Amino acid sequence: MNCLYCHKEVLIEVSWTSLFSKSKPAFLCSECEKQLKPISGVICRTCNRPLQSLESSYIKDSQCFDCVRWKEDEEWSGFLDRNYSIYEYNEFLKEFIARYKYRGDYVLAKVFSETVIEKLRTIKYDLISYIPLSQERLHERGFNQSEAIIKEAGKTPSGLLQRTHSEKQSKKSRQDRIHLPQVFQVKRDLDLTNKKILLVDDIYTTGSTLRHAAKVLKQSGAISISSLTIAR
C-alpha cells in the first residue's frame, strides 16, 4: 500500500504482536505520520488548546484567554460547552487539510478515521452532526469535508443545520469571525429538545463558527453542544 499523502510505499513493521493482533490500517508512511502532532500535556479545559506555550497571564482557571473572553461575553457565553481536538495545527497539517478540503482529495479523510473512532468513544452525545457548507461552497468543493470525516469513522451524520452563502472563513480576521452575522439555521421540523449534540469540523481557530452553530441549536432546545475537530 502507498501513503495517501506522499504516495511512497508504506512499510509495515512485523512483530510478534502484529502477527497475533489486528493492526490498524496504515494510511500514511512513517515520515508523514510523525509530522502529525497529537495534542498532549496541559490543555485548555474548554477548547483543548495546548497551554505550555502560553504565558501565565493568558491563562485563567485552566482556560486560555480566548475562552475566558467567550465566557465573559453575554452574547456568546454558554453555547459551546466543550471542544475536543486531536492534532496541533502545524505546517504539515495546514497543507494536508488544504489538499483535502480545497483540492478535493476526499480519500485523505481515511487518515483520520481510526483516531476519530477512538475519540468518539470518550464523548457522550445523542446526535453527531457537522458544520454545513452553503450550496455554492458545496458545489465548488464537491463534498462537505466535515461530513466526510464522520462517514469515514463509520457513523451516520445528522444534517441538523443549513447555511447561507458567505465569504470564506480563512480570509477573515479574528475580529471579523467573532462579529459575523448569523449564517446558520436549524432545519425545519427537528425536535432537539434535551439532545446532546456533537458537531464535527476540520479546524478550531477562534471557535466563532462552532459557537454560531451551537447558538441556534441550543435555542432550538438542545441541552448541550460539544465539538470535535481534527486540528486546533
Side-chain angles (χ1 to χ4, degrees), residues 17 50 119 162 183:
T17 302
K119 195 68 178 177
Q162 53 193 27
V183 295

Side-chain angles (χ1 to χ4, degrees), residues 59-158:
I59 304 170
K60 181 181 178 182
D61 299 328
S62 300
Q63 291 178 293
C64 68
F65 192 56
D66 277 351
C67 287
V68 172
R69 284 190 289 179
W70 282 116
K71 186 178 180 180
E72 293 176 349
D73 188 326
E74 292 183 2
E75 184 181 354
W76 294 104
S77 179
F79 290 116
L80 183 67
D81 297 285
R82 174 73 192 273
N83 173 66
Y84 303 88
S85 295
I86 298 172
Y87 298 111
E88 293 184 26
Y89 189 57
N90 57 16
E91 284 301 314
F92 175 80
L93 194 50
K94 180 179 180 180
E95 176 57 29
F96 189 104
I97 289 177
R99 185 193 294 186
Y100 167 57
K101 184 174 177 177
Y102 301 119
R103 298 170 213 161
D105 204 345
Y106 182 99
V107 73
L108 292 178
K110 292 183 180 297
V111 170
F112 306 121
S113 58
E114 291 296 323
T115 311
V116 170
I117 289 169
E118 290 178 6
K119 195 68 178 177
L120 289 177
R121 293 191 183 114
T122 70
I123 305 172
K124 293 182 179 180
Y125 60 90
D126 298 314
L127 299 171
I128 184 169
S129 191
Y130 51 89
I131 296 298
L133 301 176
S134 66
Q135 287 301 313
E136 292 89 340
R137 196 73 70 220
L138 185 60
H139 178 74
E140 177 185 301
R141 295 182 186 172
F143 66 98
N144 181 306
Q145 73 278 359
S146 303
E147 183 181 12
I149 289 168
I150 298 172
K151 289 180 176 179
E152 287 299 326
K155 301 296 182 180
T156 301
S158 300

Side-chain angles (χ1 to χ4, degrees), residues 151-169:
K151 289 180 176 179
E152 287 299 326
K155 301 296 182 180
T156 301
S158 300
L160 305 180
L161 298 166
Q162 53 193 27
R163 180 179 191 153
T164 57
H165 187 59
S166 61
E167 186 181 345
K168 291 181 180 180
Q169 294 297 294

Side-chain angles (χ1 to χ4, degrees), residues 178-195:
I178 292 172
H179 295 104
L180 281 174
Q182 181 57 267
V183 295
F184 299 113
Q185 61 187 53
V186 175
K187 291 182 178 179
R188 289 183 181 180
D189 302 323
L190 287 177
D191 183 9
L192 302 181
T193 305
N194 294 328
K195 296 295 185 184

